[in-house]
Amino acid sequence: MRIDDAVVLDLHGVTDKTAFMNRCVRALPLPSWFGRNWDALADSLADMREPLAVVVTGWQAYAEASPQDWAIAQEVFSAAARASSQGLAVLLSLGHLEDPTAPPAQGSDDSPAPPVPPPVGQ
């Protein structure tokens, strides 16, 4: 399993379990029998035939809107990773995949990217 081959589970805009399961169906290589419930998700992820790395992005709004469901989702990911015979890694993205030249967020310790000079002759 290589992180370069990771599947992105983008949860931007997700605030409930139904939307979470719908995103899982679209992003993850789940079997046709997947029943859009926690047990089916745990079983499907644990039974993958090949190693799988999943990067979960935009999860913060879901965690805030549905904290109990988000706690269950984390436990499902954890249990599936432990049970997987092929190797499952689930990584939570703590940042945004944005323009690296944008100024850092307020309160950030990062220094801003140096300005890019205009092309010669302009």
Side-chain angles (χ1 to χ4, degrees):
M1 171 176 33
R2 293 173 29 135
I3 194 67
D4 296 347
D5 301 329
V7 172
V8 175
L9 176 59
D10 181 0
L11 298 182
H12 286 94
V14 170
T15 57
D16 61 33
K17 179 184 174 186
T18 299
F20 174 84
M21 291 294 173
N22 289 339
R23 291 286 174 94
C24 287
V25 167
R26 281 185 272 175
L28 303 174
L30 300 172
S32 60
W33 56 261
F34 177 67
R36 295 181 194 229
N37 62 64
W38 297 121
D39 289 337
L41 183 59
D43 291 345
S44 297
L45 291 173
D47 291 342
M48 291 287 161
R49 296 175 193 246
E50 296 181 14
L52 178 65
V54 179
V55 177
V56 183
T57 63
W59 54 270
Q60 293 90 338
Y62 179 48
E64 187 174 315
S66 301
Q68 290 179 323
D69 283 341
W70 177 241
I72 294 169
Q74 290 178 84
E75 181 52 37
V76 165
F77 289 143
S78 179
R82 287 190 308 269
S84 173
S85 62
Q86 297 300 313
L88 171 66
V90 179
L91 305 115
L92 300 181
S93 172
L94 299 178
H96 300 283
L97 303 176
E98 296 179 5
D99 180 357
T101 62
Q106 188 172 7
S108 172
D109 290 335
D110 295 340
S111 59
V116 177
V120 176
Q122 293 199 10

